[in-house]
Amino acid sequence: MKKTCILLGTRPEIIKLSSIIRFFEKHNLDYFIIHTNQHYSENMDKIFFDRLRLPSPKYNLNVGSLSQGNQTGRMLAEIENVLLIEKPELLLVQGDTNSVLAGALAACKLGIKVGHIEAGLRSYDRSMPEEINRIVSDHVSDYLFCPTEKQRGILLGEGIIDDKIFVTGNTIVDAVLESKSLLQKKILESNNLKENKYILVTMHRPSNVDKEDILSQHLENISRLSNDYNLDVIFPIHPRTLKNIKEFNLKIPDKIKIIEPVDFLELLSLEFYSKIILTDSGGILEEACILGIPTLNLRENTERPECVEIGASKTVGSSYDLLKKGYDYFIHNNKQWVHPFGLNPTQKIIDFLMNQ
Ligand code: UD1
Ligand code: UDP
C-alpha cells in the first residue's frame, strides 16, 4: 500500500472512515491522519475517536468554525503544509464537507493521488455548500468510490472516465453492521422513551435551520405530528441548530425533548427502536435504510434517491401535509426493503488500493 494520508474533519467523516482507519491500524500500514477540526466540540469529535477505538490524528489543524471561504481556505493552506512535509502518495477523503474539498484540492495540486469515498452523489441543488464540494472533489479525484451504480452513471454523464470509477458500496454499511449487535435500550430508558412509541428527529442543514421562519415551521410541524399521533419526540441537537434556536429566541414546543448530541451507538440505538425518523441528515437516511426504519426527509431534495426508490424514505420538506401523508403511508404499509448500499465496502476499497 502506498503511503496514505486519511483526511477528515467532521462527525460523519470520522464515523464513515472508522472501518478504513481500523484496517490501516490493524495491518500496520504506512499512513497518518490529518484532522481539520472543522468539528471540535467533545460530543462532535472526541467521543467518536474514543468510542470507535480510533487512534489520535497525527496532525490537528484546529481550523474550527469560520465562513465558507475562510474555513476552506485556511484548511487548504494548512493541509498543503503537512502534505509537503509528509509526502504521501495517496490522500483519502470521504463525503462532501468543506474539509473534503480542501483536502482533495490541496492533494491534487501537489500531484498526490486522491481517492474520494462516497463519490458521485448529486442533489442538483447548488445552493448547498456540499453540492459544490461534491462536484469539485469528484472532478479532481483519481479514484472515485461510489455507493451504487447510480453514481457511476452520474459521473460518466459528467465526463469522468470509467477507469476512475469503482462501485464499492458505502462504508456506512460496515459502521452499522459492526455496531448492530451492540445496540442497547439504555439511552431510551434514560430519556423515558418506549420502543416504537417515539419519533427521532435530527436537523442541521443551513436551508432548514439558518432562517427563523423555516426553523420555526419545522419545530411546529414536528410538535403537531407528535400531538396528532400521541408519540414522544427525541431530538439530539446539532450545535448549529441549538445556536440558531437561541439566537432567534425560539421556544421549543413542550413535546420535543432536546438532548445534546450522543455517541454513534446511542444514536443507532435511538434509530433502531424508533417508530419513524424525521431528519435532514444524509448519513441517518442511509443508516435507517440499513436498519429497516422509515425516514421522512425534511428537505426538498436528496442526493440519496435510492432510499426513496426502494420505499424506505419520503422527501417531505417543511410541509405539514406531506409530513403527515408520509407518516400515514409508513404506518399503514408495513414496508420492508433490502438496502442498496452494498456488501463489504471497506474490504472492496482496501483491495483496490492494495493493488495500486
Ligand atoms: C458540516 C458540513 C455538513 C455536514 C455536517 C455534519 C460543510 C459545508 N458542512 O455542517 O455537510 O452534514 O458538518 O454534522 O462542510 N459547531 C460547534 N461545534 C462543533 C462544530 C460546529 O459548536 O464541533 C457550531 C458552530 O457554531 C458552527 C456551526 O456549528 O458555526 C456549524 O458548523 P460547520 O462545521 O460550519 O457546519 P455544519 O453545520 O456542522
Ligand atoms: N450521529 C451521532 N450522534 C448524534 C447525531 C448523529 O452519532 O447525536 C451520527 C449519525 O448516526 C450519522 C452521522 O452522525 O452516522 C450523521 O452526521 P450528520 O447528520 O451530522 O451529517 P450528515 O450525514 O448529514 O453529513
Side-chain angles (χ1 to χ4, degrees):
M1 175 82 82
K2 293 185 163 116
K3 178 172 178 178
T4 302
C5 171
I6 298 182
L7 185 125
L8 46 75
T10 67
R11 169 169 75 185
E13 293 159 71
I14 305 169
I15 293 168
K16 285 177 167 175
L17 284 167
S18 60
S19 52
I20 300 266
I21 295 171
R22 278 200 295 273
F23 186 94
F24 275 77
E25 275 291 305
K26 187 172 165 196
H27 296 274
N28 215 5
L29 299 174
D30 187 11
Y31 90 105
F32 63 99
I33 300 174
I34 301 180
H35 188 356
T36 63
N37 252 180
Q38 177 170 344
H39 285 174
Y40 47 84
S41 300
E42 165 130 7
N43 56 21
M44 296 294 286
D45 176 20
K46 187 169 180 301
I47 52 165
F48 296 101
F49 280 91
D50 291 349
R51 309 266 166 95
L52 295 169
R53 296 172 284 109
L54 302 176
S56 296
K58 184 166 180 186
Y59 296 93
N60 217 311
L61 306 182
N62 292 313
V63 173
S65 305
L66 291 165
S67 63
Q68 293 290 317
N70 269 301
Q71 188 179 55
T72 313
R74 269 198 54 196
M75 288 175 190
L76 180 62
E78 305 248 350
I79 295 166
E80 184 180 69
N81 289 340
V82 176
L83 297 181
L84 285 169
I85 296 167
E86 290 279 352
K87 299 188 173 40
E89 291 171 272
L90 170 71
L91 175 132
L92 284 180
V93 282
Q94 188 286 329
D96 54 19
T97 65
N98 288 348
S99 299
V100 170
L101 172 64
L105 267 182
C108 86
K109 280 171 173 281
L110 291 172
I112 296 166
K113 298 271 188 222
V114 178
H116 185 199
I117 299 173
E118 206 178 270
L121 276 66
R122 296 291 181 268
S123 66
Y124 301 103
D125 173 3
R126 288 203 182 196
S127 69
M128 292 179 80
E130 294 85 354
E131 183 74 353
I132 309 296
N133 297 343
R134 292 180 195 119
I135 295 169
V136 179
S137 304
D138 283 341
H139 282 260
V140 300
S141 289
D142 299 279
Y143 312 125
L144 295 105
F145 301 111
C146 299
T148 73
E149 283 294 334
K150 189 179 285 292
Q151 290 78 35
R152 183 203 291 276
I154 290 172
L155 294 172
L156 289 174
E158 291 181 10
I160 294 178
I161 57 166
D162 204 20
D163 292 0
K164 292 185 175 182
I165 305 172
F166 311 94
V167 176
T168 55
N170 192 314
T171 54
I172 195 63
V173 171
D174 291 320
V176 171
L177 297 186
E178 279 165 20
S179 295
K180 203 171 165 199
S181 63
L182 307 171
L183 299 184
Q184 294 176 354
K185 292 193 184 159
K186 225 162 65 189
I187 182 83
L188 272 63
E189 284 151 19
S190 55
N191 287 289
N192 274 326
L193 299 170
K194 299 249 169 335
E195 180 176 348
N196 210 28
K197 295 264 186 296
Y198 68 91
I199 303 170
L200 170 66
V201 175
T202 82
M203 199 167 50
H204 71 282
R205 298 279 162 200
S207 58
N208 279 333
V209 307
D210 283 4
K211 288 207 187 89
E212 184 178 343
D213 54 339
I214 304 270
L215 177 53
S216 169
Q217 178 74 53
H218 277 299
L219 293 175
E220 199 187 307
N221 290 351
I222 295 161
S223 168
R224 219 173 132 189
L225 192 76
S226 79
N227 276 319
D228 286 357
Y229 293 94
N230 199 19
L231 292 163
D232 290 326
V233 179
I234 184 101
F235 184 174
I237 198 158
H238 189 286
R240 174 191 281 275
T241 313
L242 185 60
K243 186 183 75 176
N244 289 345
I245 286 181
K246 286 183 182 156
E247 228 168 81
F248 301 147
N249 213 4
L250 291 178
K251 183 175 167 349
I252 297 165
D254 293 340
K255 285 289 279 194
I256 303 179
K257 179 164 187 188
I258 301 276
I259 57 170
E260 289 279 311
V262 294
D263 74 33
F264 183 55
L265 196 55
E266 289 171 327
L267 202 282
L268 278 187
S269 303
L270 284 174
E271 288 178 37
F272 187 66
Y273 294 115
S274 70
K275 181 126 194 127
I276 199 161
I277 301 171
L278 276 46
T279 190
D280 63 10
S281 162
I284 293 175
L285 225 61
E286 294 159 352
E287 288 161 7
C289 178
I290 296 165
L291 291 171
I293 307 296
T295 50
L296 298 174
N297 179 11
L298 303 174
R299 290 172 45 194
E300 306 295 336
N301 53 48
T302 178
E303 55 291 314
R304 286 145 170 110
E306 296 91 337
C307 295
V308 179
E309 286 159 13
I310 61 167
S313 183
K314 288 207 172 278
T315 308
V316 300
S318 58
S319 144
Y320 185 71
D321 279 355
L322 289 181
L323 187 67
K324 189 169 158 41
K325 269 195 196 130
Y327 181 83
D328 286 338
Y329 170 83
F330 282 118
I331 296 320
H332 295 131
N333 296 285
N334 193 11
K335 284 260 172 193
Q336 293 194 331
W337 54 82
V338 178
H339 80 77
F341 297 115
L343 269 180
N344 301 319
T346 304
Q347 193 60 50
K348 287 184 184 136
I349 293 168
I350 296 281
D351 285 347
F352 170 81
L353 293 175
M354 289 286 208
N355 287 317
Q356 291 314 294

